[in-house]
Amino acid sequence: MMALCTSVKILRSCGLTIRRPLVFRNVCLTLRKEIRSCASPFKLQSIQDLNSFVPRSHTCGELRSVHVGQEVTLCGWLQYKRHNLFVLVRDFHGLTQIILPQNENLSMLNKMLSEAPLESVVVIKGTVLPRPTGQENPGMPTGEIEVKANQAHILNLCKKLPFEIKDFVKKSEALRMQYRYLDIRSTWMQQNLRLRSKMVMKMRQYLCNHHGFVDVETPTLFKRTPGGAKEFVVPTQEPGKFYSLPQSPQQFKQLLMIGGLDRYFQIARCYRDEGSKPDRQPEFTQVDIEMSFVDQAGIQGLVEGMLHFSWPEEKGSLAIPFPVMTYAEAMNSYGVDKPDTRFDMKIKDVTTYFTSMQLGFVQEALSKPHGCVKAIRIPSGAKFIRRKELDSMKKLAEEQFKQVVVPVIVRSDGTWKCPIDKYLSDELKESLTSATEAKTEDILILAAGEHNRACAALGKLRLDAAAWLEECGVPLRDSTAYNFLWVVDFPLFLPKEDNGLELESAHHPFTAPHPDDIALLHTKPDKVRSQHYDLVLNGSEVGGGSIRIHNADLQRWVLQEVLKENVSLLSHLLEALEYGAPPHGGIALGLDRLIAIIVGASSIRDVIAFPKSFRGHDLMSNAPDIVSAEELQQYNIQVIHSPSSPREE
């Protein structure tokens, strides 16, 4: 009743009279019940005021037939012009056609706009008119109207452009990055950056407003972290002492849990001194999350809810929960720990059919520990994949994986063509056909060898074959599908690449062992599974996290005895774990990679405002740059060797 009285007073203060308060109360209770029953929280639709604080009355993308007759003011860039008849003006929101006046009184205005270079910045005032019948443009949101100019000002002239600001005009990536401020004007870049902004804002809303997370900024200047990727080093004026730029806020977010913050997140900048690839660059952004008193299922549920809440409506619905697959299943069926599940072509184990086969390399493979014979089927491969591509497959498998593969072509008449055909009995062929579901004009790729190596080789060839088929017009992977997948039960440790007798962390050294494998930690650490989980989207890892070690003794033992690391580098964390550290875990989503996949970009550089080049350079500002010997003296640094770097293409 008190809440009812308060509501009535508020409405009365606004000049509204509630004549039947009890009826009003019942309506409020019903509405509240309906709101609570909704699957998603009730939220009012807010209308953005895109013209606040600026002199324009409308954007270049919002005028419609309802505005006919209105006097409007538009600001933007000259996109296109036709003789002295009309121009198109563009801003972040769209295009509007401006009719140039033909009467003598406004001839100077006509001359000014028709002669101004494209991409000049203008402000135009005029009257909204309907387009003449038959001249409407249904492909343009503002295609029903045009604006007849009566005043205009050139705010800034544009000099000759290095490339046209049009999406269909081909430009090299180097040129785009050199003039990034021009490239950002393109529709493609505008859409990507705005979608990224909207998703991040909704992620913040979901975490902070709905689930009580606290946004905390952590330091960028830190110290070297044992293991992991190469770090950038930052000199100081103290002789011999350097900062490192953190690969991630991993230690800080664990310390925040020890500090009792309970729920943390950050849109975090991270750094790795490893150059660039299409899906990574030296500086990148993570959606970094950590929680106390949580388990693996809790983190997964949180991330699924966040992505569902922030998912762009124009990309369709997002089904949750996401499927879950073990690391062992992923490697066995797909040959990679980040499988693309949009198409089949799974790896099949056909070892049992080859045990009695008298063929040298097959028997040699099967005689070794974990020896096996694996196969993949490329549907209709014989129609599109030629001898040249098959030779490339064989070469790649041998050079990259030290694995021999044998292609089998199933001809249209059902006969087989392969290098070892004379060793394959009709019974074996029939068994392989049944096991792989091979059909005429398919290609089978066989690999005999050590299990992990054979699966990894076929996993790579599976992806290459899919790419070849798609180049030939075979629809295999749906570009509009978003197949999320959790991969779990990773090994806690892996053999080092340069020394197989030593171990390194499969994820990072703070990952907790699987509860069921604790007994193996001191006896067979290479057999221990971890509480590490990866989020995979369309064959790319877009997130990784784990439940952490919260016991100081266990963390010290892992670092010192298993990984052979210098524990003094992490003395601050080990000490903190001794002061009542709660169980905790978290995850980091690669924001750049996630957005790139959502918008269909081939590189994360298309969703970053100012990215680095393939070699990690900023082509716009020419960073990194040379620092003089005099300036380096204050940092006690002397350059003793400076090899000339290859020129950027």
Side-chain angles (χ1 to χ4, degrees):
M1 183 60 72
M2 185 177 295
L4 173 63
C5 294
T6 302
S7 300
V8 171
K9 287 179 181 179
I10 292 173
L11 291 172
R12 284 174 176 168
S13 69
C14 297
L16 299 174
T17 302
I18 305 300
R19 299 187 183 278
R20 301 177 65 186
L22 290 178
V23 174
F24 175 68
R25 173 182 178 274
N26 291 335
V27 171
C28 290
L29 290 175
T30 302
L31 180 60
R32 183 170 65 179
K33 185 176 181 181
E34 290 178 355
I35 291 171
R36 287 179 174 176
S37 67
C38 292
S40 59
F42 180 80
K43 51 183 181 293
L44 295 175
Q45 292 294 325
S46 61
I47 299 176
Q48 292 180 323
D49 185 355
L50 301 175
N51 304 301
S52 52
F53 314 115
V54 293
R56 67 171 176 248
S57 64
H58 298 80
T59 70
C60 294
E62 67 177 294
L63 294 176
R64 301 291 189 271
S65 296
V66 296
H67 298 102
V68 168
Q70 292 185 16
E71 296 295 317
V72 298
T73 302
L74 305 177
C75 300
W77 288 262
L78 289 178
Q79 169 87 4
Y80 175 80
K81 54 186 179 179
R82 183 184 177 98
H83 306 304
N84 63 342
L85 300 176
F86 68 85
V87 297
L88 291 181
V89 178
R90 180 199 76 244
D91 64 9
F92 67 95
H93 210 62
L95 295 165
T96 298
Q97 180 168 290
I98 307 298
I99 298 300
L100 301 182
Q102 301 299 312
N103 54 316
E104 187 174 346
N105 293 339
L106 296 174
S107 60
M108 291 301 295
L109 187 154
N110 186 316
K111 179 179 174 64
M112 176 178 61
L113 290 178
S114 60
E115 293 182 356
L118 295 181
E119 292 303 308
S120 294
V121 185
V122 299
V123 56
I124 293 174
K125 295 184 178 182
T127 307
V128 181
L129 303 176
R131 290 201 189 188
T133 303
Q135 295 185 22
E136 299 90 347
N137 185 349
M140 188 174 174
T142 59
E144 296 178 347
I145 59 89
E146 54 194 7
V147 173
K148 184 176 181 180
N150 52 48
Q151 291 184 49
H153 300 282
I154 305 293
L155 301 180
N156 210 335
L157 292 172
C158 179
K159 72 175 186 178
K160 185 177 180 180
L161 295 164
F163 53 79
E164 291 186 77
I165 314 296
K166 294 175 181 176
D167 290 325
F168 60 83
V169 175
K170 297 295 183 182
K171 307 170 281 285
S172 69
E173 187 175 67
L175 189 63
R176 290 176 57 204
M177 293 179 67
Q178 183 181 354
Y179 296 95
R180 191 60 166 185
Y181 42 85
L182 296 179
D183 188 48
I184 290 175
R185 294 184 192 175
S186 69
T187 304
W188 168 248
M189 286 299 302
Q190 286 278 322
Q191 290 175 343
N192 291 351
L193 295 177
R194 292 180 186 280
L195 181 143
R196 175 178 177 139
S197 173
K198 288 179 181 178
M199 279 199 71
V200 169
M201 186 59 67
K202 295 203 75 174
M203 288 177 179
R204 290 183 183 277
Q205 182 182 350
Y206 179 84
L207 293 170
C208 290
N209 297 351
H210 293 205
H211 295 287
F213 279 76
V214 182
D215 185 355
V216 182
E217 295 181 1
T218 56
T220 299
L221 297 176
F222 193 38
K223 62 184 293 185
R224 187 174 72 83
T225 303
K230 293 181 180 178
E231 296 175 335
F232 286 99
V233 174
V234 180
T236 72
Q237 296 186 31
E238 296 185 56
K241 292 189 176 182
F242 299 85
Y243 290 113
S244 285
L245 301 183
Q247 301 173 39
S248 75
Q250 180 60 47
Q251 295 181 52
F252 291 112
K253 62 183 182 179
Q254 289 192 246
L255 293 168
L256 288 171
M257 296 304 102
I258 297 170
L261 207 59
D262 192 70
R263 295 186 171 199
Y264 142 93
F265 90 98
Q266 180 183 187
I267 307 300
R269 298 293 284 170
C270 306
Y271 308 89
R272 293 180 183 175
D273 190 7
E274 295 183 336
S276 296
K277 292 182 180 180
D279 64 348
R280 68 180 62 179
Q281 68 159 32
E283 54 181 347
F284 55 98
T285 305
Q286 289 182 349
V287 182
D288 206 51
I289 297 171
E290 197 79 5
M291 295 176 68
S292 294
F293 310 106
V294 72
D295 60 10
Q296 181 171 303
I299 294 292
Q300 292 172 352
L302 171 76
V303 171
E304 290 170 354
M306 180 181 71
L307 289 173
H308 185 267
F309 184 84
S310 62
W311 195 254
E313 292 181 5
E314 63 270 25
K315 298 299 179 180
S317 60
L318 190 64
I320 56 173
F322 302 150
V324 179
M325 182 183 296
T326 66
Y327 171 82
E329 289 178 284
M331 296 303 296
N332 287 341
S333 298
Y334 297 95
V336 292
D337 59 5
K338 46 186 177 184
D340 189 340
T341 58
R342 289 175 298 171
F343 68 107
D344 196 14
M345 287 174 58
K346 293 182 181 180
I347 300 170
K348 303 289 186 179
D349 191 305
V350 294
T351 306
T352 55
Y353 308 117
F354 286 86
T355 52
S356 60
M357 184 179 186
Q358 299 303 311
L359 187 59
F361 79 93
V362 174
Q363 290 304 314
E364 181 183 359
L366 296 182
S367 67
K368 296 179 179 179
H370 310 296
C372 65
V373 182
K374 301 283 186 176
I376 59 171
R377 178 178 73 91
I378 306 174
S380 302
K383 295 180 181 179
F384 304 102
I385 298 177
R386 304 304 176 201
R387 176 67 178 271
K388 179 180 178 182
E389 283 80 24
L390 291 176
D391 289 343
S392 295
M393 285 185 175
K394 292 164 64 176
K395 184 178 179 181
L396 182 147
E398 189 169 350
E399 291 181 353
Q400 188 169 334
F401 299 95
K402 305 292 190 295
Q403 175 65 57
V404 175
V405 297
V406 178
V408 175
I409 299 174
V410 184
R411 298 188 180 100
S412 57
D413 60 1
T415 60
W416 286 28
K417 176 185 177 182
C418 74
I420 59 171
D421 186 66
K422 64 181 181 179
Y423 298 98
L424 303 176
S425 65
D426 291 341
E427 182 181 359
L428 177 55
K429 290 180 182 179
E430 186 176 341
S431 297
L432 286 174
T433 299
S434 176
T436 61
E437 302 179 357
K439 299 178 177 61
T440 57
E441 297 191 310
D442 286 351
I443 290 178
L444 298 179
I445 306 293
L446 303 175
E450 189 272 330
H451 177 271
N452 290 342
R453 184 178 298 169
C455 288
L458 291 181
K460 178 67 169 71
L461 297 184
R462 172 181 180 268
L463 295 174
D464 288 350
W468 276 323
L469 290 176
E470 288 174 335
E471 285 182 7
C472 297
V474 179
L476 203 60
R477 291 175 287 194
D478 185 355
S479 60
T480 64
Y482 299 96
N483 284 26
F484 281 97
L485 172 72
W486 288 108
V487 179
V488 301
D489 290 352
F490 284 81
L492 185 60
F493 306 110
L494 291 173
K496 288 185 177 180
E497 290 187 11
D498 56 348
N499 184 356
L501 298 178
E502 295 183 2
L503 297 176
E504 63 183 1
S505 296
H507 184 43
H508 58 55
F510 316 113
T511 301
H514 194 288
D516 295 342
D517 295 348
I518 291 291
L520 298 172
L521 195 57
H522 293 271
T523 57
K524 298 179 180 179
D526 58 318
K527 303 297 183 183
V528 178
R529 292 170 297 166
S530 70
Q531 295 189 66
H532 165 202
Y533 33 85
D534 275 355
L535 182 60
V536 177
L537 172 58
N538 294 356
S540 292
E541 179 196 334
V542 295
S546 68
I547 302 302
R548 323 302 187 188
I549 298 173
H550 67 279
N551 178 278
D553 292 336
L554 178 58
Q555 183 66 83
R556 185 178 289 105
W557 191 87
V558 167
L559 289 167
Q560 190 166 287
E561 303 301 327
V562 180
L563 301 177
K564 311 299 182 186
E565 294 287 358
N566 180 2
V567 295
S568 65
L569 294 173
L570 292 168
S571 59
H572 57 284
L573 178 62
L574 292 170
E575 183 179 11
L577 290 173
E578 295 175 333
Y579 286 99
H584 57 282
I587 194 169
L589 301 182
L591 183 64
D592 311 305
R593 196 175 297 177
L594 174 65
I595 301 297
I597 295 173
I598 291 174
V599 303
S602 59
S603 166
I604 63 170
R605 291 187 280 277
D606 282 336
V607 299
I608 299 173
F610 298 99
K612 298 294 187 290
S613 73
F614 185 77
R615 293 190 177 92
H617 293 180
D618 181 345
L619 303 185
M620 183 180 63
S621 66
N622 292 320
D625 205 354
I626 295 173
V627 178
S628 69
E630 291 77 12
E631 292 174 297
L632 288 176
Q633 282 182 358
Q634 61 181 317
Y635 301 110
N636 303 284
I637 293 176
Q638 181 181 7
V639 177
I640 59 174
H641 178 63
S642 180
S644 58
S645 58
R647 183 178 178 181
E648 292 267 359
E649 295 296 334

mmCIF file of all heavy atoms in Angstrom, residues 23 59 66 135 161 217 306 383 390 442 452 470 479 611:
data_model
loop_
_atom_site.group_PDB
_atom_site.id
_atom_site.type_symbol
_atom_site.label_atom_id
_atom_site.label_comp_id
_atom_site.label_asym_id
_atom_site.label_seq_id
_atom_site.Cartn_x
_atom_site.Cartn_y
_atom_site.Cartn_z
ATOM 1 N N VAL A 23 -7.705 -0.101 -8.760
ATOM 2 C CA VAL A 23 -7.577 -0.672 -10.109
ATOM 3 C C VAL A 23 -6.153 -0.470 -10.620
ATOM 4 O O VAL A 23 -5.538 -1.362 -11.205
ATOM 5 C CB VAL A 23 -8.599 -0.030 -11.069
ATOM 6 C CG1 VAL A 23 -8.361 -0.515 -12.498
ATOM 7 C CG2 VAL A 23 -10.016 -0.353 -10.611
ATOM 8 N N THR A 59 20.537 13.243 -39.196
ATOM 9 C CA THR A 59 21.671 12.568 -39.830
ATOM 10 C C THR A 59 21.347 12.359 -41.309
ATOM 11 O O THR A 59 20.205 12.553 -41.749
ATOM 12 C CB THR A 59 21.949 11.200 -39.191
ATOM 13 O OG1 THR A 59 20.886 10.295 -39.525
ATOM 14 C CG2 THR A 59 22.068 11.312 -37.679
ATOM 15 N N VAL A 66 7.941 11.154 -44.235
ATOM 16 C CA VAL A 66 7.248 11.923 -43.199
ATOM 17 C C VAL A 66 7.915 13.266 -42.952
ATOM 18 O O VAL A 66 7.318 14.145 -42.315
ATOM 19 C CB VAL A 66 7.179 11.125 -41.876
ATOM 20 C CG1 VAL A 66 6.337 9.870 -42.048
ATOM 21 C CG2 VAL A 66 8.570 10.772 -41.383
ATOM 22 N N GLN A 135 11.610 7.956 -59.852
ATOM 23 C CA GLN A 135 13.018 8.194 -59.544
ATOM 24 C C GLN A 135 13.374 7.789 -58.105
ATOM 25 O O GLN A 135 14.472 8.076 -57.639
ATOM 26 C CB GLN A 135 13.359 9.672 -59.763
ATOM 27 C CG GLN A 135 13.236 10.109 -61.216
ATOM 28 C CD GLN A 135 13.685 11.552 -61.429
ATOM 29 O OE1 GLN A 135 14.445 12.103 -60.645
ATOM 30 N NE2 GLN A 135 13.191 12.163 -62.513
ATOM 31 N N LEU A 161 42.734 12.067 -52.993
ATOM 32 C CA LEU A 161 42.719 10.878 -52.146
ATOM 33 C C LEU A 161 43.697 9.811 -52.637
ATOM 34 O O LEU A 161 43.875 9.638 -53.849
ATOM 35 C CB LEU A 161 41.313 10.272 -52.112
ATOM 36 C CG LEU A 161 40.217 11.117 -51.461
ATOM 37 C CD1 LEU A 161 38.845 10.577 -51.837
ATOM 38 C CD2 LEU A 161 40.391 11.130 -49.953
ATOM 39 N N GLU A 217 40.450 -1.815 -13.592
ATOM 40 C CA GLU A 217 41.601 -1.666 -14.484
ATOM 41 C C GLU A 217 42.850 -2.154 -13.776
ATOM 42 O O GLU A 217 43.127 -1.756 -12.643
ATOM 43 C CB GLU A 217 41.766 -0.203 -14.891
ATOM 44 C CG GLU A 217 40.613 0.328 -15.729
ATOM 45 C CD GLU A 217 40.815 1.779 -16.125
ATOM 46 O OE1 GLU A 217 41.864 2.354 -15.746
ATOM 47 O OE2 GLU A 217 39.942 2.333 -16.791
ATOM 48 N N MET A 306 26.101 -14.324 -21.303
ATOM 49 C CA MET A 306 26.617 -13.031 -21.754
ATOM 50 C C MET A 306 26.572 -12.919 -23.279
ATOM 51 O O MET A 306 26.162 -11.889 -23.832
ATOM 52 C CB MET A 306 28.049 -12.834 -21.249
ATOM 53 C CG MET A 306 28.666 -11.512 -21.659
ATOM 54 S SD MET A 306 30.377 -11.323 -21.075
ATOM 55 C CE MET A 306 31.215 -12.513 -22.129
ATOM 56 N N LYS A 383 35.723 -35.217 -58.102
ATOM 57 C CA LYS A 383 35.200 -34.291 -59.111
ATOM 58 C C LYS A 383 35.978 -32.979 -59.138
ATOM 59 O O LYS A 383 36.007 -32.287 -60.160
ATOM 60 C CB LYS A 383 33.731 -33.981 -58.823
ATOM 61 C CG LYS A 383 32.784 -35.157 -58.955
ATOM 62 C CD LYS A 383 31.362 -34.690 -58.643
ATOM 63 C CE LYS A 383 30.369 -35.821 -58.720
ATOM 64 N NZ LYS A 383 28.982 -35.373 -58.392
ATOM 65 N N LEU A 390 46.354 -33.285 -54.612
ATOM 66 C CA LEU A 390 46.682 -34.471 -53.834
ATOM 67 C C LEU A 390 48.174 -34.534 -53.517
ATOM 68 O O LEU A 390 48.569 -34.907 -52.409
ATOM 69 C CB LEU A 390 46.240 -35.730 -54.583
ATOM 70 C CG LEU A 390 44.728 -35.951 -54.697
ATOM 71 C CD1 LEU A 390 44.435 -37.183 -55.549
ATOM 72 C CD2 LEU A 390 44.102 -36.096 -53.323
ATOM 73 N N ASP A 442 34.239 -40.191 -54.421
ATOM 74 C CA ASP A 442 34.817 -39.681 -53.176
ATOM 75 C C ASP A 442 36.326 -39.905 -53.199
ATOM 76 O O ASP A 442 36.851 -40.672 -54.020
ATOM 77 C CB ASP A 442 34.234 -40.401 -51.961
ATOM 78 C CG ASP A 442 32.811 -39.963 -51.640
ATOM 79 O OD1 ASP A 442 32.342 -38.991 -52.251
ATOM 80 O OD2 ASP A 442 32.187 -40.616 -50.780
ATOM 81 N N ASN A 452 48.629 -39.400 -32.378
ATOM 82 C CA ASN A 452 48.512 -37.939 -32.368
ATOM 83 C C ASN A 452 48.976 -37.328 -33.685
ATOM 84 O O ASN A 452 48.363 -36.391 -34.198
ATOM 85 C CB ASN A 452 49.312 -37.354 -31.206
ATOM 86 C CG ASN A 452 48.680 -37.661 -29.860
ATOM 87 O OD1 ASN A 452 47.511 -38.008 -29.782
ATOM 88 N ND2 ASN A 452 49.461 -37.546 -28.798
ATOM 89 N N GLU A 470 35.288 -25.562 -51.455
ATOM 90 C CA GLU A 470 34.545 -24.299 -51.468
ATOM 91 C C GLU A 470 35.013 -23.386 -52.586
ATOM 92 O O GLU A 470 34.204 -22.655 -53.180
ATOM 93 C CB GLU A 470 34.677 -23.616 -50.104
ATOM 94 C CG GLU A 470 33.872 -24.321 -49.019
ATOM 95 C CD GLU A 470 34.093 -23.747 -47.639
ATOM 96 O OE1 GLU A 470 35.162 -23.142 -47.400
ATOM 97 O OE2 GLU A 470 33.214 -23.913 -46.786
ATOM 98 N N SER A 479 28.458 -19.802 -44.054
ATOM 99 C CA SER A 479 29.091 -18.575 -43.544
ATOM 100 C C SER A 479 28.192 -17.824 -42.567
ATOM 101 O O SER A 479 28.661 -16.946 -41.846
ATOM 102 C CB SER A 479 29.465 -17.654 -44.711
ATOM 103 O OG SER A 479 28.305 -17.286 -45.447
ATOM 104 N N PRO A 611 45.109 -0.988 -36.202
ATOM 105 C CA PRO A 611 45.839 -2.237 -35.986
ATOM 106 C C PRO A 611 47.299 -2.128 -36.394
ATOM 107 O O PRO A 611 47.750 -1.128 -36.950
ATOM 108 C CB PRO A 611 45.097 -3.217 -36.899
ATOM 109 C CG PRO A 611 44.666 -2.347 -38.048
ATOM 110 C CD PRO A 611 44.354 -0.999 -37.448
#
